[in-house]
Every structure is written in structure tokens, then in C-alpha cells.
Amino acid sequence: TDALVALADAACGLRDWQPDWTLLVQRHLDTADALLPDAAVAGAAKAALEHELEGLRERLATLAAGHGDDSDRAWVHGLGEVLSSHLLHAALGGEDAGWARLDAREVLCVHPGELGVAVDWEASRDRLARWRQRHPQEHVVVTGFVASDAQGRPTTLGRNGSDHSGAIFAVLFGADELTIWTDVDGVLSADPRLVPDAVCLPMLSYAEACELAYFGARVLHPQTMAPAIRHALPIRIRNSRAPQAPGTLISTVSRGPDGLHGTPVKGLSLAEDLALLELSGAGLIGVPGTAERMFAALRQAGVSVIMISQGSSEHSICCVVRQAQAEAGRAAVVEAFAEAIDDGQAQGVNVTPDIAVLAAVGDGMVGTP
């Protein structure tokens, strides 16, 4: 995907993209030869790859000529999953072995939402039902990351969108469980680089998994869990390099068969490279709407708020933001409260850089002294 993004950027920037395109073509043809020992199977797969990559060349030429739009860029960015699906489909035996291949752009309909890309579930279900009538095979290879908008134009789910696609299609296909294959044994109780004796957690609730992911655990993107939570779909995290490991099961419950949580704290996660931004002033006490003004200013500046803490009567409001956004956040809040600061009603905005947030996560902490 990085290579495809770079190709699109080069084409839009009127730089020579053709040598890198040629390298990408050769990389995929070499992979087909290495992956598929049968010459006939490899030949068919390479023909499909060459067809897709010729389409890439045409899209890049369109972008270089200044005639492309966002949908053309999205088509280019998402091609990696399409190429991978051809290779995987062939490696599994293809149609002869009972495998269908689904380009998600034919089925998955999405639209921009307030919190990111949102799925049009009704339209997607209708499209999948029609696709299944033409492709009744039991096993299906589906592209991740890519989708279409309501007008049928190609788009993507954004980076980290492949696992999100898995959750979406697990719901659309009515699956009993979604398995996410990754490179660790499951969700660990802490970062093993910082805590060498961290253990793999056998079971987590959705809430616990969301908290751990939000505060820096890299195993599962929070967006992936949204369709699963909505449809009560269990997610199992497993290690593709150690398939014998049972992994971590994420579902509606965090308790084992004995009804116990195990320990009140399931895990610890650490979010680094953060800053503390504080607005304070005696003149803010009892003034309605102070917090609303502050967070509206941060939203307008595109600053993401990690945590919020408010003193009594709005005398001080603190929030944790990403270090890289701290100065933009400070400037936005200063502008929003310029009059109050000039009048001495507010003491100004202070930034404490280089902080980390340590989160202790566990449903069992509720009510536990």
C-alpha cells in the first residue's frame, strides 16, 4: 500500500512514476512464480495480475494528466488487496477447489460518517445476496480495505482498514466468529518490550479490548470492534506464526466459565508522546459553556483529545492531546478565550509536554476496593 500511495503521489506531482510501476509489476509476477509451482496455475494468476496492473498504469496516466479525482486515487491505493486476493485465490486452488474470489468494491457500500467511514448495511446486504446467487461456493476470498460509495465509485476504509473489513464481512456473511490472524499470541497484559513477563489474556470483553486499544495496545484497531460490538460477534486474536496457541477471545463477557474475572485488572497499556493542555482562571468559575467553547476550538483545529479532567466549577479544565498537536491546540484555545485572557478572567493556557498515560483496564475493577 505504501508503494501504491507513493505511485499516486508521484503521478499527481508530475514525477516519473513508470520505473516504480515496472518494479511493482515484476515484484508481483515473481511472487506468483514463487508461490505457485504449477505452471498453468501461475500463468492464469499472472494474467489476472497483469490485467489489474495495466489498469493501474492507465489510472496513473489519468492522474498525471490532471484528469483524475479522489476515486482514482482510492482505486490506486486499494489495489494491493486486489492483487493479493488473486494470489491467495490461486494458491488455495481457485475455482477448481471450490473457492470464489470477491472484490469487495462490488458489494461493500460505505459513506463518510462523523466518526469515519460508515457502512450502508442494507445496501451491502442486498449486493452480497445478489453476488451469492452468482457465486454459491462455500469458501470465499474477499479483499479487505476497499469498498465503493453510494454512486459506485471506488473508495477505501482508511489505513488499518483490512481488519475492519474482516469484521464487516463476518457480519454480512452471518459468521459465528471472526478470527484476526496477527504476529502475536493474542492480546497481552502489557507491552512485552516494557514488561517481559506480560502474559496472553485468554478472554476479554469488548469494553476491555476497546480501552486497551485506545491507550496504545496495537493488536486490534478500535474501529474493527464497532461492527462486532453492534452484532455481538466474538473476535479471536491468533498468531499466524504459532497457530497452536489458543489466542484471545473478545466477546460480550470477560468472565471465565467459573464466573470469575480472574484478576480485577486485565492489562496495563501505555500511551506515550502526549502533552497536557490546561485552561485555568478564577473568572471561569460558574460561567456556563466554558468546556463547550474549549473543545469546540480544539475540534475546529483538528486536535484529538485523549483524556479530559475538569476542576470544580470549571476553574480549570485539563485535557491530554498528542504531543505533535499540542501547539496547535494551545493556539486554538488561546484564540477562543482571548478576551477572557486579556481581561484577566483566565490565566491563559499552559502546556506540559512529554507525558505518558498509564491505563489500568479491567471490568473486574468495578466495585472492587
Side-chain angles (χ1 to χ4, degrees):
T1 302
D2 288 340
L4 290 163
V5 170
L7 278 170
D9 289 345
C12 291
L14 301 181
R15 300 189 301 276
D16 186 7
W17 49 266
Q18 299 205 36
D20 287 338
W21 173 82
T22 302
L23 287 173
L24 196 69
V25 172
Q26 195 58 50
R27 177 176 164 187
H28 281 82
L29 298 181
D30 290 346
T31 301
D33 285 330
L35 186 67
L36 308 167
D38 185 285
V41 173
K46 287 160 76 172
L49 293 172
E50 287 173 333
H51 175 74
E52 299 284 4
L53 289 160
E54 179 60 25
L56 172 62
R57 188 188 66 78
E58 293 171 359
R59 296 270 180 162
L60 291 171
T62 298
L63 289 170
H67 302 314
D69 57 18
D70 288 345
S71 66
D72 289 299
R73 289 179 68 94
W75 189 95
V76 172
H77 291 178
L79 188 65
E81 294 265 354
V82 177
L83 297 172
S84 296
S85 71
H86 281 293
L87 287 166
L88 182 57
H89 184 247
L92 291 168
E95 300 280 349
D96 293 342
W99 284 88
R101 191 190 74 87
L102 168 59
D103 185 331
R105 294 173 297 194
E106 297 178 39
V107 166
L108 183 55
C109 181
V110 300
H111 59 268
E114 188 177 351
L115 301 178
V117 174
V119 178
D120 185 333
W121 290 102
E122 185 176 354
S124 299
R125 282 194 174 94
D126 288 345
R127 292 180 183 185
L128 179 60
R130 292 197 296 270
W131 187 90
R132 289 298 280 161
Q133 289 175 352
R134 303 191 304 274
H135 305 86
Q137 291 95 328
E138 183 180 1
H139 305 299
V140 187
V141 174
V142 189
T143 57
F145 183 51
V146 295
S148 293
D149 63 15
Q151 288 72 44
R153 295 173 301 199
T155 186
T156 72
L157 301 182
R159 299 307 286 262
N160 300 305
S162 296
D163 287 354
H164 190 196
S165 296
I168 291 167
F169 275 98
V171 171
L172 289 174
F173 277 100
D176 295 324
E177 184 177 292
L178 167 67
T179 299
I180 301 288
W181 291 96
T182 181
D183 57 358
V184 293
D185 285 346
V187 180
L188 300 179
S189 58
D191 185 341
R193 293 169 298 182
L194 301 174
V195 185
D197 57 350
V199 298
C200 181
L201 299 166
M203 185 176 290
L204 286 173
S205 69
Y206 294 125
E208 290 171 331
C210 283
E211 285 287 303
L212 286 170
Y214 182 72
F215 285 109
R218 299 282 181 239
V219 174
L220 194 61
H221 195 273
Q223 224 176 10
T224 301
M225 281 182 281
I229 294 169
R230 177 177 176 177
H231 298 275
L233 174 74
I235 302 175
R236 195 176 294 275
I237 309 296
R238 295 184 63 190
N239 190 347
S240 56
R241 297 172 184 174
Q244 71 280 4
T248 300
L249 180 66
I250 302 171
S251 65
T252 54
V253 297
S254 65
R255 301 168 187 261
D258 55 4
L260 300 176
H261 287 282
T263 58
V265 179
K266 282 288 182 69
L268 301 171
S269 63
L270 191 70
E272 299 180 279
D273 299 319
L274 303 175
L276 187 69
L277 191 149
E278 179 184 15
L279 170 70
S280 62
L284 303 177
I285 296 175
V287 178
T290 301
E292 181 182 9
R293 284 170 62 195
M294 179 175 177
F295 294 115
L298 291 171
R299 178 181 179 180
Q300 192 70 29
V303 175
S304 176
V305 176
I306 309 296
M307 288 178 63
I308 299 166
S309 172
Q310 184 172 319
S312 60
S313 302
E314 299 186 349
H315 172 262
S316 79
I317 304 175
C318 297
C319 62
V320 177
V321 299
R322 304 194 189 285
Q323 178 76 41
Q325 296 184 315
E327 182 51 39
R330 189 198 67 79
V333 178
V334 166
E335 183 179 351
F337 289 89
E339 185 176 331
I341 294 171
D342 289 344
D343 292 342
Q345 294 175 313
Q347 270 70 64
V349 181
N350 295 317
V351 173
T352 306
D354 301 319
I355 69 164
V357 172
L358 177 67
V361 176
D363 289 345
M365 291 191 293
V366 177
T368 302

